[in-house]
């Protein structure tokens, strides 16, 4: 399951009179003057209006059995208006394809063929300077379907490693408690593997303690040796690794077979531990944002000692032994990776550097991600734990696009929308366009020589929109956003309806031309026009284009933190070809 979707099998809320009138119009169009809809008339509605071309008379009769409660109608194999209304307000008419609420994709391909729901600084509940570290943050991320968790490990007193954001005033939690929490909640919502991404700053002795905790607490859940017979290519598949936890960290070079690395890579490996911190510092040199606030905690003396500490850190044998399919190496270049990187090695790249790579060599980035796992993480200057837009990195096939899950807003809405698919299991099979070895793909190009998909959306109305604390009725409008490759990304607004929270009516047509729909997310955002140039968030819903159902559909709305705003919803008509 993903974050709570609005509505049970049949929505229990009172349907506004205007929505009833809209649905009554559809009913009368097919009832041909009768007070009930025959099974054949209902089938005609399914074919013509809902565009469910695979439906047959059995489909129509099953809907009558499911939603009709009047005995006479059931016996005559027909549906009253009230039965039709129940059907139209049910999950069967939700915008999100209900077959996608279960795992339906091929889960037998190598790990690098999937987008993986990933968290950055998972332990934090707030900002990166004085924020609180808490075990609940790991529970929350796991319950949202997150499959890659980050743990920043530092030496603690009494040989107890601690987790916090180093050189700041963020609070500390014990490493062993983090691992116990992960063990307890790891597979509550998904059976597929978890990757523990260790940012390791501990001395060898405390790394030995970490390894002992990983083994003793995780038990059989911890992957401690390579699989005998993986069923997929070089890396195992999510199916191969069900109910397993993988450790992502450095690995001692002596343990790596067939080691033919260059001196340049030897040198890179020496400074590998804490790669993320090094990348963050590079970002800070390029950005002024956040420097003043960081100055309180980052003195030159501390920065110097930090660099010294990194040189001293060496991975302990016991911890190295636990790194099987996720050995962290430093990214040098695409050509270097092609010649030297192994399938079980992955790189972490800061957002600014990743953005530059996309701009300079997008097709090479796509090809790199066909072979290797790439992790993208937010710039160190994002001291408030803000997020980047993950779509630009999904566009090149980066698998582990790490976000600050505690920070609400558009980036996390997109992440929730992306991973709402495939049963909310945290793994989404990358589209074929990102996996083709025969055809180069450049997401920055607007010329893809593919017939575009035309999407027609009619935003008809809203229902039971949440009223602000002031009690004043909303002046709502709907913003529809397409998030995909740059040439596909568009935003369109309806007009504003004055003073109507209960049942605003827009009847607004929107047309979009989309060249790579399988990469697109569609976001519906309801906003309140508070002044001529200012509007405020009311509710939103984001889903993959490939999960859109055609026809007349209702859109459940969610709050800023992803909770259901039921009975708030939109009523829309969707068509695409």
């Amino acid at each position: 399951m993903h974050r709570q979707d609005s509505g049970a099998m049949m929505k229990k809320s009172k349907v506004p009179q205007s929505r009833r009138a809209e649905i009554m119009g559809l009913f009368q169009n097919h009832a041909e003057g009768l007070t009930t809809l025959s099974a054949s008339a209902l089938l005609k509605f399914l074919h013509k209006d809902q565009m469910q071309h695979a439906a047959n008379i059995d489909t129509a009769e099953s809907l009558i059995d499911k939603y009709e409660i009047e005995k006479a109608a059931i016996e005559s194999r027909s549906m009253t208006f009230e039965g039709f209304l129940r059907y139209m307000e049910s999950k069967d008419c939700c915008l999100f394809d209900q077959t996608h609420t279960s795992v339906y994709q091929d889960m037998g391909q190598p790990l690098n063929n999937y987008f993986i729901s990933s968290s950055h600084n998972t332990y934090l509940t707030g900002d990166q300077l004085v924020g609180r570290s808490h075990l609940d943050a790991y529970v929350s991320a796991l319950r949202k379907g997150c499959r890659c968790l980050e743990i920043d490990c530092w030496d603690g007193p009494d040989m107890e490693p601690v987790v916090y954001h180093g050189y700041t005033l963020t609070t500390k939690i014990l490493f062993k408690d983090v691992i116990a929490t992960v063990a307890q909640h790891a597979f509550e919502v998904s059976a597929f593997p978890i990757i523990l991404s260790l940012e390791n700053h501990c001395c060898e002795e405390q790394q030995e303690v970490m390894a002992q905790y990983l083994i003793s607490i995780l038990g059989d859940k911890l992957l401690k040796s390579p699989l005998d017979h993986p069923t997929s290519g070089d890396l195992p598949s999510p199916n191969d690794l069900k109910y397993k936890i993988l450790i992502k960290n450095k690995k001692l070079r002596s343990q790596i077979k067939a080691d033919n690395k260059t001196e340049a890579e030897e040198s890179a490996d020496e400074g590998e531990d804490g790669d993320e911190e090094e990348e963050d510092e590079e970002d800070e040199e390029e950005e002024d944002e956040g420097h003043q606030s960081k100055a309180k905690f980052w003195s030159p003396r501390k920065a110097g000692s930090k660099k010294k500490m990194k040189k001293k850190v060496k991975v302990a044998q016991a911890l190295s032994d636990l790194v099987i399919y996720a050995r962290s190496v430093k990214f040098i270049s695409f050509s270097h990776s092609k010649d030297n990187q192994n399938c079980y090695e992955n790189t972490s790249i800061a957002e600014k550097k990743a953005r530059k790579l996309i701009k300079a060599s997008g097709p090479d980035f796509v090809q790199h991600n066909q072979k290797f796992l790439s992790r993208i993480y937010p710039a160190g200057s994002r001291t408030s734990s803000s997020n980047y837009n993950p779509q630009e990195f999904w566009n090149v096939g980066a698998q582990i696009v790490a976000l600050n899950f505690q920070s609400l807003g558009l980036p996390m809405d997109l992440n929730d929308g992306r991973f709402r698919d495939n049963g909310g299991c945290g793994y989404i099979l990358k589209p074929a366009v990102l996996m083709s070895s025969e055809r180069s793909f450049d997401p920055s190009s607007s010329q893809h020589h593919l017939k575009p998909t035309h999407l027609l959306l009619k935003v008809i109305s809203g229902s039971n929109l949440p009223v602000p604390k002031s009690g004043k009725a909303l002046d709502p409008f709907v913003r529809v956003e397409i998030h995909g490759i740059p040439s596909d990304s568009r935003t369109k607004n309806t007009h504003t309806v004055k003073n109507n929270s209960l049942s605003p009516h827009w009847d607004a047509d929107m047309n979009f031309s989309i060249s790579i729909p399988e990469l697109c997310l569609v976001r519906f955002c309801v906003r309140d026009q508070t002044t001529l140039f200012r509007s405020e968030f009311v509710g939103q819903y984001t889903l993959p284009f490939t999960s859109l159902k055609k026809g007349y559909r209702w859109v459940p709305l969610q709050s800023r933190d992803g909770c259901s705003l039921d009975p708030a919803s939109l009523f829309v008509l969707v068509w695409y070809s």
Side-chain angles (χ1 to χ4, degrees):
M1 290 290 293
H2 209 75
R3 287 186 177 188
Q4 184 184 351
D5 275 337
S6 187
M9 182 53 74
M10 286 181 278
K11 290 163 62 89
K12 295 186 176 74
S13 58
K14 184 180 177 183
V15 181
Q17 205 58 40
S18 60
R19 176 76 64 86
R20 287 181 70 93
E22 290 155 1
I23 295 174
M24 176 62 86
L26 295 175
F27 180 84
Q28 291 174 339
N29 283 346
H30 291 275
E32 298 174 341
L34 302 175
T35 56
T36 60
L37 205 60
S38 67
S40 60
L42 178 57
L43 179 60
K44 186 179 176 185
F45 168 75
L46 294 176
H47 284 164
K48 183 182 173 188
D49 294 58
Q50 301 300 73
M51 286 161 269
Q52 294 176 217
H53 301 301
N56 56 31
I57 198 68
D58 290 339
T59 311
E61 292 198 358
S62 70
L63 291 177
I64 291 170
D65 291 334
K66 191 173 182 179
Y67 296 109
E68 186 53 63
I69 59 174
E70 192 173 295
K71 193 175 179 182
I74 295 170
E75 288 175 353
S76 65
R77 311 313 288 146
S78 60
M79 187 179 267
T80 63
F81 171 67
E82 291 300 326
F84 186 72
L85 182 63
R86 279 189 289 274
Y87 160 64
M88 289 298 293
E89 289 287 295
S90 76
K91 285 283 190 181
D92 282 333
C93 287
C94 180
L95 179 68
F96 184 75
D97 187 337
Q98 294 303 290
T99 64
H100 293 187
T101 60
S102 301
V103 175
Y104 69 95
Q105 295 178 349
D106 176 8
M107 303 305 287
Q109 298 189 30
L111 279 180
N112 46 288
N113 285 10
Y114 299 84
F115 295 128
I116 304 171
S117 180
S118 306
S119 165
H120 175 254
N121 289 350
T122 313
Y123 50 89
L124 285 178
T125 58
D127 68 60
Q128 298 180 33
L129 295 178
V130 296
R132 190 174 174 220
S133 304
H134 204 286
L135 298 173
D136 286 349
Y138 285 93
V139 179
S140 175
L142 286 166
R143 287 180 175 167
K144 291 172 191 169
C146 184
R147 297 285 90 188
C148 182
L149 307 169
E150 185 176 29
I151 309 176
D152 287 12
C153 313
W154 297 81
D155 289 337
D158 305 319
M159 287 297 287
E160 284 288 358
V162 293
V163 175
Y164 82 114
H165 201 244
Y167 305 101
T168 68
L169 298 182
T170 56
T171 60
K172 299 173 183 177
I173 52 180
L174 296 180
F175 177 82
K176 66 179 179 182
D177 292 344
V178 171
I179 301 308
T181 300
V182 171
Q184 183 180 349
H185 300 281
F187 303 108
E188 282 182 3
V189 301
S190 173
F192 295 110
I194 285 176
I195 299 170
L196 295 184
S197 180
L198 304 185
E199 188 179 310
N200 180 11
H201 302 272
C202 292
C203 65
E204 285 188 70
E205 293 77 15
Q206 294 214 19
Q207 289 180 55
E208 297 276 355
V209 175
M210 288 164 56
Q212 289 168 17
Y213 284 141
L214 288 167
I215 292 166
S216 62
I217 296 171
L218 296 180
D220 291 341
K221 296 186 185 82
L222 180 65
L223 186 75
K224 296 187 277 287
S225 59
L227 301 179
D228 291 336
H229 301 289
T231 56
S232 56
D234 290 326
L235 274 178
S237 71
N239 270 343
D240 294 329
L241 295 166
K242 268 188 173 182
Y243 301 107
K244 290 296 181 184
I245 296 175
L246 284 64
I247 304 303
K248 178 173 115 50
N249 192 62
K250 271 184 67 178
K251 191 171 180 71
L252 288 174
R253 292 183 52 76
S254 59
Q255 291 177 277
I256 300 160
K257 296 176 182 177
D259 189 4
N260 298 314
K261 295 189 179 170
T262 63
E263 285 183 19
E265 191 169 7
E266 290 269 11
S267 166
D269 276 352
E270 286 172 14
E272 208 174 84
D273 210 27
D275 275 346
E276 175 166 321
E277 290 294 331
E278 289 173 10
E279 297 286 2
D280 281 354
E281 288 172 8
E282 285 171 15
D283 277 343
E284 285 172 48
E285 288 168 14
E286 293 167 1
E287 293 182 277
D288 291 330
E289 181 194 347
H291 275 194
Q292 289 182 339
S293 58
K294 274 208 163 187
K296 296 175 188 175
F297 307 103
W298 254 275
S299 68
R301 183 183 61 78
K302 281 185 178 176
S305 65
K306 182 178 176 182
K307 284 179 183 175
K308 245 188 225 177
M309 181 183 292
K310 274 194 294 195
K311 286 180 184 175
K312 288 179 186 175
V313 171
K314 182 185 175 186
V315 67
Q317 181 74 52
L319 189 58
S320 176
D321 288 343
L322 302 180
V323 179
I324 310 301
Y325 293 119
R327 180 194 179 223
S328 300
V329 297
K330 187 173 178 65
F331 177 80
I332 296 171
S333 69
F334 293 129
S335 60
H336 184 276
S337 292
K338 187 176 181 181
D339 294 337
N340 297 279
Q341 192 170 332
N342 293 300
C343 68
Y344 52 81
E345 294 174 329
N346 63 83
T347 53
S348 286
I349 307 173
E351 61 170 293
K352 277 185 72 71
K353 184 173 181 179
R355 213 170 273 126
K356 287 179 180 177
L357 290 169
I358 292 170
K359 190 174 180 181
S361 45
D364 291 336
F365 211 159
V366 172
Q367 287 184 337
H368 174 86
N369 290 325
Q370 290 174 0
K371 299 176 183 176
F372 311 112
L373 288 175
S374 292
R375 178 174 176 269
I376 312 297
Y377 61 90
S381 55
R382 292 183 180 273
T383 54
S384 65
S385 292
S386 62
N387 282 314
Y388 50 71
N389 185 324
Q391 184 67 46
E392 60 183 319
F393 305 115
W394 289 327
N395 285 342
V396 290
Q399 300 88 349
I400 304 176
V401 180
L403 295 177
N404 295 301
F405 271 44
Q406 75 274 28
S407 299
L408 310 177
L410 173 66
M412 275 307 297
D413 290 346
L414 297 181
N415 198 74
D416 287 348
R418 174 72 64 201
F419 292 101
R420 190 183 309 283
D421 196 4
N422 204 29
C425 74
Y427 284 82
I428 303 295
L429 190 62
K430 293 198 287 187
V433 70
L434 291 175
M435 300 309 301
S436 173
S437 56
E438 299 168 7
R439 195 168 193 174
S440 167
F441 176 68
D442 183 0
S444 302
S445 170
S446 58
Q447 303 297 317
H448 293 285
H449 310 292
L450 298 168
K451 183 185 176 186
T453 295
H454 296 286
L455 171 65
L456 168 64
L457 281 175
K458 182 190 281 285
V459 180
I460 301 170
S461 63
S463 167
N464 298 296
L465 302 181
V467 178
K469 289 178 182 176
S470 65
K472 178 186 173 293
L474 301 174
D475 292 346
F477 68 93
V478 179
R479 177 172 294 162
V480 178
E481 305 162 4
I482 306 295
H483 295 268
I485 63 169
S487 60
D488 284 343
S489 299
R490 295 282 184 275
T491 297
K492 296 188 178 183
N493 296 336
T494 68
H495 62 278
T496 299
V497 172
K498 293 286 186 181
N499 200 36
N500 192 336
S501 304
L502 181 64
S503 55
H505 194 88
W506 295 284
D507 218 23
D509 289 328
M510 299 179 181
N511 288 285
F512 300 93
S513 182
I514 301 171
S515 60
I516 314 290
E518 58 269 40
L519 264 174
C520 283
L521 296 168
V522 184
R523 182 174 186 255
F524 295 81
C525 187
V526 180
R527 301 190 66 85
D528 178 24
Q529 192 76 55
T530 52
T531 67
L532 185 60
F533 300 110
R534 189 167 178 270
S535 63
E536 293 182 355
F537 176 90
V538 174
Q540 71 85 36
Y541 189 74
T542 307
L543 74 168
F545 179 95
T546 51
S547 295
L548 286 174
K549 288 280 279 183
K550 293 179 180 178
Y552 289 94
R553 305 288 166 182
W554 60 273
V555 183
L557 292 177
Q558 295 180 331
S559 63
R560 197 179 291 279
D561 61 1
C563 294
S564 168
L565 289 174
D566 188 44
S569 65
L570 300 175
F571 191 49
V572 299
L573 173 61
V574 179
W575 180 86
Y576 54 85
S577 68

